[in-house]
Amino acid sequence: MSMLYLDSAIKLQDVYQWAKVDHQPLVRSKVHQLRKLQILTEEKGTVSLNPIFREQLRNALTGGGDFSSFGIPYTGAVSNRGVSKKWLASYANDRWEAILHFMVGHSADAEPPSESVRGILRMSRLMENSEEGMKITNSGFQFLLQDSSSQVWTVLLQYLRLAEQQDMDVVEVLNFMFQLVSLQLGRPYSTEALTRNQRKMLAELCSFGLLYQDSVGAPQFYPTHLITSLSSGSASHSGPSGTDSSVVVGAGGGTGRSAIPTGSKATGELAKPSDQGFIILETNCRMYAYTNSALQIAILNLFVHLVNRFPNFITGALTRDSVRRALSRGITADQIITFLTTHAHPQMQGRTPVLPITVTDQIRLWEQERNRLRPTPAYFYKDFGQKQEYERMFKYAQDIGVILWASNEKRQLVVTRQGHAKIAELVKSQRAAAAAAAAK
């Protein structure tokens, strides 16, 4: 970066002097690597940046040239003058919550996700097809525990993989992603300079609530706080156990700093600080939740037997059937315990441990009930002709540690797949030795 705005060459020895003596070997190594990449050019003891690389990097950092690194602000007449930061926050939250409601299988009064959204959910293995339709997976439940910024990054990374499968120009997609992250919230941007792939990406990201466009083909679009907060630092990157007093519940139950004023009534369920810690769990597995969030209730319904529901309060219980139902969907006992711990009421957070030990042990016992049998690829040996042959093979298998089960009375032996290959080599060598001895 020190050479970015130096149009003339500089002595190589001067470059080495930029670092302390004990760090100069590292600088020499980096200079050598940059020369191999043809980013640095050396001539008569002087070095300079490749002029093409220097110009392109300057344009990328300053938004110069024809690259529009920071987008092109729209200067034409705006068709929808009701678009404000507050309205964009409500729009983005509604779209994002609709996807999360769909993941937990809750029929909320929201627009169902598009086919492209469902495709990304399947590709990222957050959901999978079943006889009853799409259902949440183990990874999907872990996704719900993340803060909203982490969830958005997950979606963007999966979209990048989808773009590769659809033979889209990955460079164009990456450029557009980096451009979107650097845009200003609430400001319209022109679509005139966008390529065909970028226009397609624009329409699909609108389905997630990351962008807003008045209509398909409109000359302008708006970024929402879900994507602009990725680089502004307004969204926390801490996990769901964050304890900052200014955090609010993010999408899907994670926590993150609100990019929107929490006093606004239009921010939706993603900005309700009252839901940060709302669960009380008793030693008899009864649960009380102080929430009116349909999304949080739908998540609890994945592993809790709900009994009563009031305007801002629900009761239920962790039962064997409700937990096993969650386990059958791929949700683990540790994930259930993590969710309950993360969203425990402040009165429970002061305890050590937060959740009653009897409850956490019971959840793990219910999980172990499903894991009593564990299939292992193996080979079964029987019908040994002589006792000595069985004992010789048993001792060899015992020495290399590949026995899964054995019966000395019945002369039967079960070994691992790896052990079978080694035993087969032993038998082959013994038979060859016996054949050679017989030939003599």
Side-chain angles (χ1 to χ4, degrees), residues 66-367:
D66 299 328
F67 299 96
S68 306
S69 302
F70 303 105
I72 302 177
Y74 182 70
T75 56
V78 179
S79 57
N80 189 349
R81 298 187 180 277
V83 177
S84 62
K85 292 182 179 180
K86 183 177 178 180
W87 187 90
L88 286 172
S90 177
Y91 160 82
N93 289 335
D94 289 343
R95 285 296 179 96
W96 194 255
E97 287 170 12
I99 296 173
L100 300 180
H101 279 296
F102 177 74
M103 289 183 62
V104 298
H106 182 72
S107 56
D109 296 332
E111 183 180 350
S114 62
E115 178 58 35
S116 62
V117 173
R118 296 196 295 270
I120 291 178
L121 294 177
R122 283 192 296 265
M123 178 178 297
S124 57
R125 297 182 180 178
L126 301 178
M127 299 189 73
E128 61 184 8
N129 292 325
S130 65
E131 295 180 356
E132 298 81 13
M134 294 183 66
K135 66 175 184 178
I136 192 170
T137 63
N138 176 289
S139 300
F141 190 77
Q142 189 65 38
F143 176 82
L144 295 178
L145 297 179
Q146 296 176 346
D147 59 88
S148 56
S149 295
S150 299
Q151 291 175 338
V152 173
W153 275 119
T154 300
V155 168
L156 292 178
L157 290 175
Q158 295 302 327
Y159 187 87
L160 188 59
R161 295 181 182 178
L162 180 64
E164 292 179 335
Q165 292 187 0
Q166 294 181 349
D167 295 329
M168 297 172 64
D169 190 339
V170 179
V171 176
E172 285 186 8
V173 174
L174 279 174
N175 284 339
F176 194 45
M177 282 186 180
F178 291 134
Q179 175 182 324
L180 293 175
V181 171
S182 64
L183 299 183
Q184 182 179 345
L185 178 64
R187 187 173 186 178
Y189 290 87
S190 174
T191 62
E192 182 179 356
L194 299 183
T195 64
R196 182 177 61 85
N197 287 334
Q198 290 174 342
R199 291 175 185 270
K200 178 182 178 182
M201 183 178 176
L202 171 64
E204 293 177 340
L205 292 184
C206 285
S207 301
F208 285 94
L210 305 183
L211 303 173
Y212 169 73
Q213 196 174 21
D214 291 337
S215 60
V216 179
Q220 82 281 353
F221 69 93
Y222 297 81
T224 69
H225 70 280
L226 290 178
I227 196 164
T228 58
S229 62
L230 296 180
S231 63
S232 64
S234 59
S236 172
H237 293 277
S238 63
S241 58
T243 57
D244 193 316
S245 60
S246 63
V247 295
V248 296
V249 169
T255 59
R257 295 185 184 274
S258 176
I260 322 154
T262 56
S264 171
K265 295 182 180 179
T267 55
E269 294 176 2
L270 302 187
K272 288 186 178 179
S274 60
D275 286 345
Q276 180 183 348
F278 59 95
I279 296 176
I280 293 179
L281 193 62
E282 295 182 340
T283 55
N284 57 4
C285 293
R286 289 189 178 181
M287 186 214 67
Y288 308 93
Y290 293 88
T291 180
N292 58 2
S293 167
L295 178 59
Q296 297 289 6
I297 295 172
I299 295 175
L300 287 174
N301 192 45
L302 292 174
F303 55 88
V304 175
H305 173 63
L306 300 182
V307 179
N308 298 309
R309 179 172 179 177
F310 303 96
N312 61 345
F313 177 72
I314 62 171
T315 65
L318 288 167
T319 65
R320 181 175 180 270
D321 290 339
S322 66
V323 173
R324 286 174 63 89
R325 183 178 68 246
L327 296 173
S328 66
R329 296 184 175 184
I331 301 172
T332 66
D334 287 337
Q335 288 177 332
I336 295 174
I337 294 171
T338 299
F339 182 86
L340 294 173
T341 303
T342 301
H343 299 290
H345 194 276
Q347 292 184 0
M348 294 188 63
Q349 293 288 355
R351 302 178 182 177
T352 304
V354 176
L355 301 181
I357 297 179
T358 54
V359 177
T360 56
D361 287 348
Q362 185 61 67
I363 294 174
R364 290 192 172 97
L365 286 174
W366 284 329
E367 182 181 46

